[in-house]
Coordinates of all heavy atoms in Angstrom, one line a residue:
M1413 N 1.8 67.3 18.6 CA 1.4 66.5 17.5 C 0.5 67.3 16.5 O 0.0 66.8 15.6 CB 0.7 65.3 18.0 CG 1.5 64.3 18.7 SD 2.9 63.6 17.8 CE 4.3 64.3 18.6
D1414 N 0.4 68.6 16.9 CA -0.4 69.4 16.0 C 0.1 69.5 14.6 O -0.6 69.6 13.6 CB -0.6 70.8 16.6 CG -1.8 70.9 17.5 OD1 -2.8 70.1 17.2 OD2 -1.9 71.7 18.4
K1415 N 1.4 69.5 14.5 CA 2.1 69.7 13.2 C 1.7 68.6 12.3 O 1.5 68.8 11.1 CB 3.6 69.7 13.4 CG 4.0 71.1 14.0 CD 5.1 71.7 13.2 CE 5.3 73.2 13.5 NZ 6.1 73.4 14.7
I1416 N 1.6 67.3 12.8 CA 1.3 66.2 11.9 C -0.1 66.3 11.4 O -0.4 66.2 10.2 CB 1.5 64.9 12.7 CG1 3.0 64.7 13.0 CG2 1.0 63.7 11.9 CD1 3.3 63.5 13.9
R1417 N -1.0 66.7 12.3 CA -2.4 66.9 11.8 C -2.5 68.0 10.8 O -3.2 67.9 9.9 CB -3.3 67.2 13.0 CG -3.5 66.0 13.9 CD -4.6 66.3 14.9 NE -5.8 66.7 14.3 CZ -6.8 67.3 14.9 NH1 -6.7 67.6 16.2 NH2 -7.9 67.7 14.3
F1418 N -1.7 69.0 11.0 CA -1.7 70.1 10.1 C -1.3 69.7 8.7 O -2.0 70.0 7.7 CB -0.8 71.2 10.6 CG -0.4 72.2 9.6 CD1 -1.3 73.0 9.0 CD2 0.9 72.2 9.2 CE1 -0.9 73.9 8.0 CE2 1.3 73.1 8.2 CZ 0.4 73.9 7.6
F1419 N -0.3 68.9 8.6 CA 0.2 68.5 7.3 C -0.8 67.5 6.6 O -1.1 67.6 5.4 CB 1.5 67.8 7.4 CG 2.7 68.8 7.6 CD1 3.5 68.7 8.6 CD2 2.9 69.7 6.6 CE1 4.6 69.6 8.8 CE2 3.9 70.7 6.7 CZ 4.7 70.6 7.8
Q1420 N -1.4 66.6 7.4 CA -2.4 65.7 6.8 C -3.5 66.6 6.3 O -4.0 66.3 5.2 CB -2.9 64.8 7.9 CG -1.9 63.7 8.2 CD -2.4 62.7 9.2 OE1 -3.3 63.1 10.0 NE2 -1.8 61.6 9.3
R1421 N -4.0 67.5 7.0 CA -5.1 68.3 6.6 C -4.8 69.1 5.4 O -5.6 69.3 4.5 CB -5.6 69.2 7.8 CG -7.0 69.6 7.5 CD -7.6 70.3 8.6 NE -8.7 71.1 8.1 CZ -9.0 72.3 8.6 NH1 -8.5 72.8 9.6 NH2 -10.0 73.0 8.0
S1422 N -3.6 69.7 5.3 CA -3.3 70.5 4.2 C -3.2 69.7 2.9 O -3.4 70.2 1.9 CB -2.1 71.4 4.4 OG -1.2 70.7 5.3
L1423 N -2.9 68.4 3.1 CA -2.8 67.6 1.9 C -4.2 67.2 1.4 O -4.4 67.2 0.2 CB -2.0 66.3 2.2 CG -0.5 66.5 2.3 CD1 0.2 65.2 2.8 CD2 0.1 67.0 1.0
L1424 N -5.1 67.0 2.3 CA -6.4 66.5 1.9 C -7.3 67.7 1.6 O -7.9 67.8 0.5 CB -7.0 65.8 3.1 CG -6.3 64.5 3.4 CD1 -6.9 63.8 4.7 CD2 -6.3 63.5 2.3
G1425 N -7.5 68.6 2.5 CA -8.4 69.7 2.3 C -7.7 71.0 2.0 O -6.9 71.4 2.7
T1426 N -8.1 71.5 0.8 CA -7.5 72.8 0.5 C -8.5 73.8 0.2 O -8.6 74.4 -0.8 CB -6.5 72.6 -0.8 OG1 -7.3 71.9 -1.8 CG2 -5.3 71.9 -0.4
E1427 N -9.5 73.9 1.1 CA -10.5 74.9 1.0 C -10.4 75.9 2.1 O -10.1 75.6 3.3 CB -11.9 74.3 1.0 CG -12.3 73.6 -0.3 CD -13.5 72.7 -0.1 OE1 -14.2 72.9 0.9 OE2 -13.7 71.8 -0.9
C1428 N -10.5 77.1 1.8 CA -10.4 78.2 2.8 C -11.5 78.1 3.8 O -12.7 78.0 3.5 CB -10.5 79.6 2.1 SG -10.4 80.9 3.2
D1429 N -11.1 78.1 5.1 CA -12.1 78.0 6.1 C -12.9 79.3 6.3 O -13.9 79.3 7.0 CB -11.4 77.7 7.5 CG -11.0 76.2 7.5 OD1 -11.7 75.4 6.9 OD2 -10.1 75.9 8.3
A1430 N -12.5 80.3 5.7 CA -13.2 81.6 5.8 C -14.2 81.8 4.6 O -15.4 82.1 4.8 CB -12.3 82.7 5.9
C1431 N -13.8 81.5 3.4 CA -14.7 81.8 2.3 C -15.0 80.5 1.5 O -15.9 80.5 0.6 CB -14.0 82.8 1.3 SG -12.5 82.2 0.6
G1432 N -14.4 79.4 1.8 CA -14.7 78.1 1.1 C -14.1 78.0 -0.2 O -14.3 77.0 -0.9
G1433 N -13.3 79.0 -0.6 CA -12.7 79.0 -1.9 C -11.4 78.1 -1.9 O -11.0 77.6 -0.8
R1434 N -10.9 77.8 -3.0 CA -9.8 76.9 -3.1 C -8.5 77.6 -2.6 O -8.3 78.8 -2.9 CB -9.6 76.5 -4.6 CG -8.5 75.5 -4.8 CD -8.6 74.8 -6.1 NE -7.6 73.8 -6.3 CZ -7.6 72.6 -5.8 NH1 -8.7 72.3 -5.1 NH2 -6.6 71.8 -5.9
V1435 N -7.7 76.9 -1.9 CA -6.5 77.4 -1.4 C -5.3 76.9 -2.2 O -5.1 75.7 -2.3 CB -6.3 77.0 0.1 CG1 -4.9 77.5 0.6 CG2 -7.4 77.6 1.0
D1436 N -4.6 77.8 -2.8 CA -3.4 77.5 -3.4 C -2.3 77.4 -2.3 O -2.0 78.4 -1.7 CB -3.0 78.5 -4.4 CG -1.7 78.2 -5.2 OD1 -1.0 77.3 -4.7 OD2 -1.5 78.7 -6.3
L1437 N -1.8 76.2 -2.0 CA -0.9 76.1 -0.9 C 0.4 76.8 -1.1 O 1.2 77.0 -0.2 CB -0.6 74.6 -0.7 CG -1.8 73.8 -0.1 CD1 -1.5 72.4 0.0 CD2 -2.2 74.4 1.2
M1438 N 0.7 77.3 -2.3 CA 1.9 78.1 -2.5 C 1.6 79.5 -2.0 O 2.6 80.2 -1.7 CB 2.2 78.1 -4.0 CG 2.7 76.8 -4.6 SD 4.2 76.2 -3.8 CE 5.4 77.4 -4.5
Q1439 N 0.4 79.9 -1.9 CA 0.1 81.2 -1.5 C -0.6 81.3 -0.2 O -0.4 82.2 0.6 CB -0.8 81.9 -2.6 CG -0.1 82.0 -3.9 CD -0.9 82.8 -4.9 OE1 -2.1 82.9 -4.9 NE2 -0.2 83.4 -5.8
G1440 N -1.6 80.4 0.0 CA -2.3 80.4 1.3 C -1.6 79.5 2.3 O -0.4 79.1 2.2
G1441 N -2.3 79.0 3.3 CA -1.8 78.1 4.3 C -2.6 78.2 5.6 O -3.7 78.6 5.6
A1442 N -2.0 77.7 6.7 CA -2.7 77.6 7.9 C -2.2 78.7 8.9 O -1.0 79.0 9.0 CB -2.4 76.3 8.6
C1443 N -3.2 79.3 9.5 CA -2.9 80.3 10.5 C -2.2 79.6 11.7 O -2.7 78.6 12.2 CB -4.1 81.1 10.9 SG -3.9 82.1 12.3
D1444 N -1.2 80.2 12.2 CA -0.5 79.6 13.3 C -1.2 79.8 14.6 O -1.0 79.1 15.6 CB 0.9 80.3 13.5 CG 1.8 79.5 14.5 OD1 2.1 78.4 14.3 OD2 2.1 80.1 15.5
S1445 N -2.2 80.7 14.6 CA -2.9 81.0 15.9 C -4.2 80.3 16.0 O -4.5 79.6 16.9 CB -3.1 82.5 15.9 OG -3.8 82.8 17.1
C1446 N -5.0 80.4 14.9 CA -6.4 79.7 15.0 C -6.4 78.4 14.2 O -7.4 77.7 14.3 CB -7.4 80.7 14.5 SG -7.3 81.1 12.7
R1447 N -5.3 78.1 13.5 CA -5.2 76.8 12.9 C -6.1 76.6 11.7 O -6.4 75.4 11.3 CB -5.4 75.6 13.9 CG -4.5 75.7 15.0 CD -3.2 75.0 14.7 NE -2.1 75.3 15.7 CZ -0.9 75.0 15.5 NH1 -0.5 74.5 14.4 NH2 0.0 75.3 16.4
R1448 N -6.7 77.6 11.2 CA -7.6 77.5 10.1 C -6.7 77.4 8.8 O -5.7 78.1 8.7 CB -8.6 78.6 10.0 CG -9.6 78.6 11.1 CD -10.6 79.7 10.9 NE -10.0 81.0 10.8 CZ -10.7 82.1 10.4 NH1 -11.9 82.0 10.1 NH2 -10.0 83.2 10.3
I1449 N -7.2 76.7 7.8 CA -6.6 76.7 6.5 C -7.2 77.9 5.7 O -8.4 77.9 5.6 CB -6.8 75.4 5.8 CG1 -6.4 74.2 6.6 CG2 -6.1 75.4 4.4 CD1 -4.9 74.0 6.7
L1450 N -6.4 78.8 5.3 CA -7.0 80.0 4.7 C -6.3 80.3 3.3 O -5.1 80.0 3.1 CB -6.8 81.1 5.6 CG -7.5 81.0 6.9 CD1 -7.0 82.0 8.0 CD2 -9.0 81.2 6.7
C1451 N -7.1 80.9 2.5 CA -6.5 81.3 1.2 C -5.6 82.6 1.4 O -5.6 83.1 2.5 CB -7.6 81.7 0.2 SG -8.6 83.1 0.7
F1452 N -4.9 82.9 0.4 CA -4.0 84.1 0.6 C -4.7 85.3 1.1 O -4.2 86.0 2.0 CB -3.4 84.4 -0.8 CG -2.5 85.6 -0.8 CD1 -1.2 85.6 -0.3 CD2 -3.1 86.8 -1.2 CE1 -0.5 86.7 -0.3 CE2 -2.3 88.0 -1.2 CZ -1.0 87.9 -0.8
R1453 N -5.9 85.6 0.6 CA -6.5 86.8 1.0 C -6.9 86.8 2.5 O -6.8 87.8 3.1 CB -7.8 86.9 0.1 CG -8.4 88.3 0.0 CD -9.2 88.5 -1.3 NE -10.1 87.4 -1.5 CZ -11.3 87.4 -1.1 NH1 -11.8 88.4 -0.5 NH2 -12.1 86.3 -1.3
H1454 N -7.3 85.7 3.0 CA -7.8 85.6 4.3 C -6.6 85.3 5.3 O -6.7 85.6 6.5 CB -8.9 84.6 4.5 CG -10.2 85.0 3.9 ND1 -10.6 84.5 2.7 CD2 -11.0 85.9 4.3 CE1 -11.8 85.1 2.4 NE2 -12.1 86.0 3.4
L1455 N -5.5 84.8 4.8 CA -4.4 84.5 5.7 C -3.5 85.7 5.8 O -3.2 86.2 6.9 CB -3.6 83.3 5.2 CG -2.4 82.9 6.1 CD1 -2.9 82.5 7.4 CD2 -1.6 81.8 5.4
Y1456 N -3.1 86.2 4.7 CA -2.1 87.3 4.8 C -2.8 88.7 4.5 O -2.4 89.7 5.2 CB -1.0 87.2 3.7 CG -0.2 86.0 3.9 CD1 -0.3 84.8 3.2 CD2 0.8 86.0 5.0 CE1 0.5 83.7 3.4 CE2 1.6 84.9 5.2 CZ 1.4 83.8 4.4 OH 2.2 82.7 4.6
G1457 N -3.8 88.7 3.6 CA -4.5 90.0 3.4 C -3.7 90.9 2.4 O -4.3 91.6 1.7
S1458 N -2.4 90.8 2.5 CA -1.6 91.7 1.6 C -0.2 91.0 1.4 O 0.2 90.2 2.1 CB -1.4 93.1 2.2 OG -0.5 93.0 3.3
W1459 N 0.4 91.4 0.3 CA 1.7 90.9 0.0 C 2.7 91.3 1.0 O 3.7 90.6 1.3 CB 2.2 91.4 -1.4 CG 1.4 90.7 -2.5 CD1 0.4 91.2 -3.2 CD2 1.6 89.3 -2.9 NE1 -0.1 90.2 -4.1 CE2 0.7 89.1 -4.0 CE3 2.5 88.3 -2.6 CZ2 0.6 87.9 -4.6 CZ3 2.4 87.1 -3.2 CH2 1.4 86.9 -4.3
L1460 N 2.5 92.4 1.6 CA 3.5 92.9 2.6 C 3.5 92.0 3.8 O 4.5 91.7 4.3 CB 3.0 94.4 3.0 CG 4.1 95.1 3.8 CD1 5.3 95.4 2.8 CD2 3.5 96.4 4.3
A1461 N 2.3 91.6 4.2 CA 2.2 90.7 5.4 C 2.9 89.4 5.1 O 3.5 88.8 5.9 CB 0.8 90.5 5.8
R1462 N 2.7 88.9 3.8 CA 3.3 87.6 3.5 C 4.8 87.7 3.4 O 5.6 86.9 3.9 CB 2.8 87.2 2.1 CG 3.2 85.8 1.8 CD 3.0 85.4 0.4 NE 3.6 84.0 0.2 CZ 3.7 83.5 -1.0 NH1 3.3 84.1 -2.1 NH2 4.3 82.3 -1.1
L1463 N 5.3 88.8 2.9 CA 6.7 89.1 2.7 C 7.3 89.1 4.1 O 8.4 88.5 4.4 CB 6.9 90.4 2.0 CG 8.3 90.6 1.4 CD1 8.5 89.7 0.3 CD2 8.5 92.0 1.0
R1464 N 6.7 89.8 5.0 CA 7.2 89.9 6.4 C 7.3 88.6 7.0 O 8.2 88.2 7.7 CB 6.2 90.8 7.2 CG 6.8 91.2 8.6 CD 6.0 92.3 9.2 NE 4.6 91.8 9.3 CZ 3.5 92.6 9.5 NH1 3.7 93.9 9.6 NH2 2.3 92.1 9.6
S1465 N 6.3 87.7 6.8 CA 6.3 86.4 7.4 C 7.4 85.6 6.8 O 8.1 84.8 7.6 CB 4.9 85.7 7.1 OG 5.0 84.4 7.5
E1466 N 7.7 85.7 5.5 CA 8.7 84.9 4.9 C 10.1 85.4 5.3 O 11.0 84.6 5.5 CB 8.5 84.9 3.4 CG 7.3 84.1 3.0 CD 7.3 83.9 1.5 OE1 8.0 84.6 0.8 OE2 6.4 83.1 1.0
V1467 N 10.3 86.7 5.2 CA 11.6 87.3 5.5 C 12.0 87.1 6.9 O 13.1 86.7 7.3 CB 11.6 88.8 5.1 CG1 12.9 89.4 5.6 CG2 11.5 88.9 3.6
L1468 N 11.1 87.4 7.8 CA 11.4 87.3 9.3 C 11.2 85.9 9.8 O 11.6 85.6 10.9 CB 10.5 88.2 10.1 CG 10.6 89.7 9.7 CD1 9.6 90.5 10.6 CD2 12.0 90.2 9.9
G1469 N 10.6 85.0 9.0 CA 10.4 83.6 9.4 C 9.4 83.6 10.5 O 9.3 82.6 11.3
A1470 N 8.5 84.6 10.6 CA 7.5 84.6 11.6 C 6.3 83.6 11.2 O 6.1 83.5 10.0 CB 6.9 86.0 11.7
P1471 N 5.7 83.0 12.1 CA 4.6 82.1 11.8 C 3.5 82.9 11.2 O 3.2 84.0 11.7 CB 4.2 81.5 13.2 CG 4.8 82.5 14.2 CD 6.0 83.1 13.6
P1472 N 2.8 82.4 10.2 CA 1.7 83.1 9.6 C 0.5 83.3 10.5 O 0.1 82.4 11.2 CB 1.3 82.2 8.4 CG 1.8 80.8 8.8 CD 3.0 81.0 9.7
R1473 N 0.0 84.5 10.5 CA -1.2 84.8 11.3 C -2.2 85.4 10.4 O -1.9 86.2 9.6 CB -0.8 85.9 12.3 CG -0.1 85.3 13.6 CD -1.1 85.1 14.7 NE -0.5 84.5 15.9 CZ 0.0 85.3 16.8 NH1 0.0 86.6 16.6 NH2 0.5 84.8 17.9
C1474 N -3.4 84.9 10.5 CA -4.5 85.3 9.6 C -4.9 86.8 9.9 O -4.6 87.3 11.0 CB -5.7 84.4 9.7 SG -6.6 84.5 11.2
V1475 N -5.6 87.3 9.0 CA -6.1 88.7 9.2 C -6.9 88.9 10.5 O -6.7 89.9 11.2 CB -6.9 89.1 7.9 CG1 -7.5 90.5 8.1 CG2 -6.1 89.0 6.7
E1476 N -7.7 87.9 10.8 CA -8.6 88.1 11.9 C -7.8 88.0 13.2 O -8.0 88.8 14.2 CB -9.6 87.0 12.0 CG -10.5 86.9 10.7 CD -11.9 87.2 11.0 OE1 -12.3 86.9 12.1 OE2 -12.6 87.7 10.1
C1477 N -6.8 87.1 13.3 CA -6.0 87.0 14.5 C -5.1 88.2 14.7 O -4.9 88.7 15.8 CB -5.1 85.8 14.4 SG -6.0 84.2 14.6
R1478 N -4.6 88.8 13.6 CA -3.8 90.0 13.7 C -4.6 91.1 14.2 O -4.2 92.0 14.8 CB -3.2 90.3 12.3 CG -1.9 89.5 12.1 CD -1.0 90.2 11.1 NE -1.7 90.6 9.9 CZ -1.8 89.9 8.8 NH1 -1.2 88.7 8.7 NH2 -2.5 90.3 7.8
A1479 N -5.9 91.1 13.8 CA -6.8 92.2 14.2 C -7.3 92.0 15.6 O -8.0 92.9 16.2 CB -8.0 92.3 13.2
G1480 N -6.9 90.9 16.3 CA -7.3 90.7 17.6 C -8.7 90.1 17.8 O -9.2 90.0 18.9
R1481 N -9.3 89.7 16.7 CA -10.6 89.0 16.8 C -10.4 87.5 16.9 O -9.5 87.0 16.3 CB -11.4 89.3 15.5 CG -11.9 90.8 15.5 CD -12.9 90.9 14.4 NE -12.4 90.7 13.1 CZ -12.0 91.6 12.3 NH1 -12.1 92.9 12.6 NH2 -11.5 91.3 11.1
T1482 N -11.3 86.9 17.6 CA -11.2 85.4 17.6 C -12.2 84.9 16.6 O -13.4 85.0 16.8 CB -11.6 84.9 19.0 OG1 -10.7 85.5 20.0 CG2 -11.4 83.4 19.1
P1483 N -11.7 84.2 15.6 CA -12.6 83.7 14.6 C -13.4 82.5 15.0 O -12.9 81.8 15.9 CB -11.7 83.4 13.4 CG -10.4 83.1 14.1 CD -10.3 84.0 15.3
P1484 N -14.6 82.3 14.5 CA -15.3 81.1 14.8 C -14.6 79.9 14.4 O -13.8 79.9 13.5 CB -16.7 81.3 14.1 CG -16.3 82.2 13.0 CD -15.2 83.1 13.5
P1485 N -14.9 78.7 14.9 CA -14.3 77.4 14.5 C -14.7 77.1 13.1 O -15.8 77.6 12.6 CB -14.8 76.4 15.5 CG -16.0 77.0 16.1 CD -15.8 78.5 16.1
P1486 N -14.0 76.3 12.4 CA -14.3 75.9 11.0 C -15.7 75.3 11.0 O -16.1 74.6 11.9 CB -13.3 74.9 10.7 CG -12.1 75.2 11.5 CD -12.7 75.7 12.8
P1487 N -16.5 75.6 10.0 CA -17.9 75.2 9.8 C -18.0 73.6 9.8 O -19.0 73.1 10.3 CB -18.4 75.8 8.5 CG -17.1 76.2 7.8 CD -16.1 76.5 8.8
Q1488 N -17.0 72.9 9.4 CA -17.1 71.5 9.3 C -17.3 70.9 10.7 O -18.1 70.0 10.9 CB -15.8 70.8 8.7 CG -15.6 71.2 7.3 CD -14.6 72.3 7.2 OE1 -14.7 73.3 7.8 NE2 -13.6 72.2 6.3
T1489 N -16.5 71.4 11.7 CA -16.6 70.8 13.0 C -17.9 71.3 13.8 O -18.5 70.6 14.5 CB -15.4 71.2 13.9 OG1 -15.2 72.6 13.7 CG2 -14.2 70.5 13.4
A1490 N -18.3 72.5 13.4 CA -19.5 73.1 14.1 C -20.7 72.4 13.7 O -21.7 72.3 14.4 CB -19.6 74.6 13.8
A1491 N -20.8 71.9 12.4 CA -22.0 71.3 11.9 C -22.3 70.0 12.5 O -23.4 69.5 12.5 CB -21.9 71.2 10.4
K1492 N -21.3 69.3 13.1 CA -21.4 68.0 13.6 C -22.1 68.0 15.0 O -22.7 67.0 15.4 CB -20.1 67.3 13.8 CG -19.6 66.8 12.4 CD -19.2 65.3 12.5 CE -19.1 64.7 11.1 NZ -18.9 63.2 11.3
V1493 N -22.0 69.1 15.7 CA -22.6 69.2 17.0 C -24.1 69.3 17.0 O -24.6 70.1 16.3 CB -22.0 70.4 17.8 CG1 -22.6 70.4 19.2 CG2 -20.5 70.2 17.9
Ligands
ZN1577 ZN1 -10.6 82.8 1.8
ZN1578 ZN1 -6.0 83.0 12.7

């Protein structure tokens, strides 16, 4: 059921979980690994990575996940605790 939540969230919130900037859903999106909504710069990092994702149909992975780092949870959920 993660997919449904993902779509709801992408419709409502379009702020990058990494920088807080506005996410253009045509360019950015959600990381398939850490589920953060990220702007183009933080999700793909480069046009080459985006192209590879689109051409190969590979799920998008953010820069941090590709680098093998585990990013912190989104600040919205962390602030509530
Ligand atoms: Zn960003
Ligand atoms: Zn990620």
Side-chain angles (χ1 to χ4, degrees):
M1413 293 299 112
D1414 267 336
K1415 286 233 163 81
I1416 293 172
R1417 287 191 56 199
F1418 160 66
F1419 280 122
Q1420 283 178 341
R1421 196 171 159 213
S1422 27
L1423 286 174
L1424 295 174
T1426 49
E1427 280 165 20
C1428 175
D1429 281 336
C1431 66
R1434 185 164 181 80
V1435 173
D1436 184 342
L1437 290 178
M1438 293 298 288
Q1439 297 189 330
C1443 170
D1444 188 65
S1445 183
C1446 66
R1447 303 274 167 192
R1448 293 186 304 169
I1449 306 286
L1450 297 165
C1451 67
F1452 172 81
R1453 201 154 46 93
H1454 288 105
L1455 182 61
Y1456 294 106
S1458 72
W1459 286 103
L1460 195 66
R1462 188 192 174 190
L1463 198 69
R1464 191 171 54 197
S1465 173
E1466 288 189 350
V1467 170
L1468 299 180
R1473 280 265 180 86
C1474 73
V1475 175
E1476 304 243 334
C1477 289
R1478 279 204 311 265
R1481 288 191 296 261
T1482 305
Q1488 295 101 308
T1489 51
K1492 283 234 165 188
V1493 180

